[in-house]
Amino acid sequence: MIDEQLVKQIQTIVSPERILTELAERYSYSYDASFGECLPDIVIQPKNTHEVAALVRLANEHHIPVYPRGAATSLSGGSLAVEGGMTLDMSQFEKKLTIDRENLLAITTPSVITGDIHKKAEEAGLFYPPDPSSSHVSTIGGNLLENSSGPKGLKYGTTKEYVIGLEVVTPTGEIIRTGGRTVKNVTGYDLTRLIVGSEGTLGIVTEATLRLIPKPLARKTLLASFTSINDSGHAITKILSSGILPSAMELMDNACIRAVENYQPSGLPIDAEAIVIIEVDGHPAAIAEEMVNCEGICWEQGATNVKVASTETERNEIWKARKMVSPAIMQMGPTKISEDATVPRSQIPAMVEKLQKIRDKYQLNLVVFGHAGDGNLHPNIITDKRNIEEMKRVEYAVSEIFEAAIELGGTLSGEHGIGTLKAPYMENELGRDGLFMMKKIKEAWDPNNILNPGKIFPQPGQTKVVLI
Ligand SMILES: Cc1cc2nc3c(=O)[nH]c(=O)nc-3n(C[C@H](O)[C@H](O)[C@H](O)COP(=O)(O)OP(=O)(O)OC[C@H]3O[C@@H](n4cnc5c(N)ncnc54)[C@H](O)[C@@H]3O)c2cc1C
């Protein structure tokens, strides 16, 4: 309960203009990019680590839920204040970004926009590979806590592969450092990896040391069209098993192609059932040969057209069309439910088939795109949350998508995190004992369960089909 007395104590930590108590101010913090809505009791904009630590200590003493929040682009309800309490707006934290060229490192505070890290690293001739499509708006703090990734995850891995050190405020308000500035570090438990992807349930990140790599010398991109989505899936698995590791392999189904063309015509083939974008990077001579091989495999697997970008402008046009998918499908209906169930690469054709069956069974507007090269598909259901009858069908369809991914040896989430919606399915994937060990970790770090409660772990009585 946040009463006047407590607000007074908060005012001794943070200046009053950074404490938002009015309904209108708090209301804009009740959303993220999922479709949930939860109003925090108070919103605070800390500027530095000591303010965060003092606020968390106060919250812990009074058993008040604390919800860290970056740019709120989470698609799993990650930052929503599902139990009210205190939202900590980490996007207003002081912004500091240093590139250490000699050691190939970036040292950053959590409020820095990921796209700015890409830009600064490139200016120094370096490369920070994790590239969620939201990188122009999302914060590095949010990326760390969701272990985000994008097309380049296929070759370069996800955020966790690039985090070597953290400064963290624990749920009891201590300030700790994990890892360090060395790429090799095996001193004790790897708390850095534990915090990355913990969705703000174990600690609040106030600084991160990121590993950078040299920028690839060259890249080549192609766009292949298919009249059968299964053929496109086979082309993807064939290329991957041929010894080529593209830096990106993206799939868009016919509904996505049409959505993009309706939204902003980009010259995509509207009659194709699927298109695949393939990019290779590295030494110019090596990638020239790899591109010829990728092209050949696409033709062999039934492509009806394969176009290799011959200029940087043509490449940018291909990627622009891919980046247009999310905004384009948002125009198709008021509610977009974006899933990221991920399967082993060899199961991509089987997953695509299952998704088509689910779409037909529940008669839903389900479109598929995603990072097909690493099995991370994004089935998106376009619906209207006011249509109660349709939402029931959506719930069952979402449930079957999760079950299909797990059945095929995959996972509930490749990128977007568990948040609230996927929590009831955790035991299906981890087993009872696996989930129990995770709960033990949470209890040890956060004895009063104040940090982002209501996320990751199923709540008592929470049923499998539940949309927040
Ligand atoms: C159009 C669109 C495209 C997207 N594309 C991708 C994609 O390609 N790949 C991908 O992986 N995701 C994608 N996302 C999802 C989202 O952008 C990512 O999850 C992103 O990392 C969230 O960053 P954020 O700053 O918005 O964090 P938020 O949404 O505010 O928070 C995310 C989580 O991190 C926690 N958190 C935030 N900051 C801190 C901190 N400093 N300390 C502790 N916890 C913290 C929050 O509590 C929450 O659990 C997309 C979203 C949209 C809307």
Side-chain angles (χ1 to χ4, degrees), residues 58-344:
L58 186 67
N60 189 44
E61 194 184 311
H62 293 269
H63 292 210
I64 290 167
V66 177
Y67 291 93
R69 179 182 175 101
T73 63
S74 165
L75 293 165
S76 57
S79 66
L80 293 180
V82 295
E83 293 183 12
M86 193 188 273
T87 286
L88 291 193
D89 177 2
M90 297 299 288
S91 72
Q92 301 305 306
F93 197 87
E94 58 194 348
K95 285 189 174 55
K96 284 191 192 164
L97 172 60
T98 311
I99 304 291
D100 175 352
R101 208 170 176 282
E102 275 194 347
N103 291 304
L104 278 73
L105 298 176
I107 295 115
T108 180
T109 51
S111 50
V112 171
I113 301 294
T114 310
D116 292 339
I117 300 176
H118 291 147
K119 216 166 117 216
K120 280 258 180 183
E122 278 209 18
E123 282 166 13
L126 298 172
F127 180 35
Y128 175 65
D131 60 340
S133 306
S134 55
S135 59
H136 58 299
V137 282
S138 60
T139 64
I140 187 68
N143 285 195
L144 290 165
L145 275 297
E146 295 288 1
N147 187 21
S148 298
S149 58
K152 294 203 168 69
L154 170 61
K155 179 170 178 179
Y156 293 102
T158 60
T159 298
K160 68 172 183 267
E161 270 86 35
Y162 295 89
V163 189
I164 60 169
L166 293 173
E167 180 184 76
V168 181
V169 173
T170 70
T172 40
E174 291 88 15
I175 301 167
I176 61 164
R177 283 202 167 263
T178 72
R181 289 190 173 207
T182 55
V183 172
K184 284 186 171 179
N185 181 334
V186 292
T187 306
Y189 294 144
D190 192 345
L191 297 184
T192 309
R193 286 243 176 170
L194 179 62
I195 297 291
V196 175
S198 64
E199 302 188 26
T201 62
L202 296 180
I204 300 186
V205 170
T206 47
E207 190 190 275
T209 304
L210 308 175
R211 189 168 68 85
L212 304 175
I213 59 174
K215 210 174 131 194
L217 289 177
R219 59 194 174 194
K220 273 189 169 289
T221 311
L222 72 70
L223 188 150
S225 316
F226 293 85
T227 48
S228 146
I229 196 164
N230 283 351
D231 290 349
S232 69
H234 289 297
I236 289 164
T237 46
K238 198 89 199 215
I239 289 170
L240 290 168
S241 59
S242 75
I244 302 170
L245 184 55
S247 53
M249 264 184 144
E250 297 288 299
L251 175 81
M252 283 165 64
D253 77 354
N254 180 266
C256 289
I257 299 168
R258 285 179 184 269
V260 169
E261 286 304 305
N262 278 335
Y263 179 64
Q264 195 164 322
S266 307
L268 296 178
I270 52 169
D271 294 331
E273 203 188 307
I275 58 172
V276 179
I277 299 168
I278 301 170
E279 186 159 285
V280 289
D281 68 6
H283 191 278
I287 63 166
E289 195 180 318
E290 285 179 349
M291 192 71 331
V292 170
N293 291 342
C294 289
E295 204 182 336
I297 293 172
C298 288
W299 287 119
E300 269 166 39
Q301 296 303 314
T304 50
N305 193 26
V306 184
K307 186 179 179 321
V308 179
S310 54
T311 60
E312 195 60 14
T313 313
E314 281 182 17
R315 173 194 178 265
N316 292 342
E317 275 165 16
I318 292 175
W319 281 112
K320 195 170 153 214
R322 167 63 184 85
K323 286 200 184 243
M324 215 63 80
V325 173
S326 272
I329 60 178
M330 287 219 186
Q331 311 291 313
M332 290 165 67
T335 310
K336 178 170 87 89
I337 292 162
S338 177
E339 289 310 335
D340 66 329
T342 304
V343 293

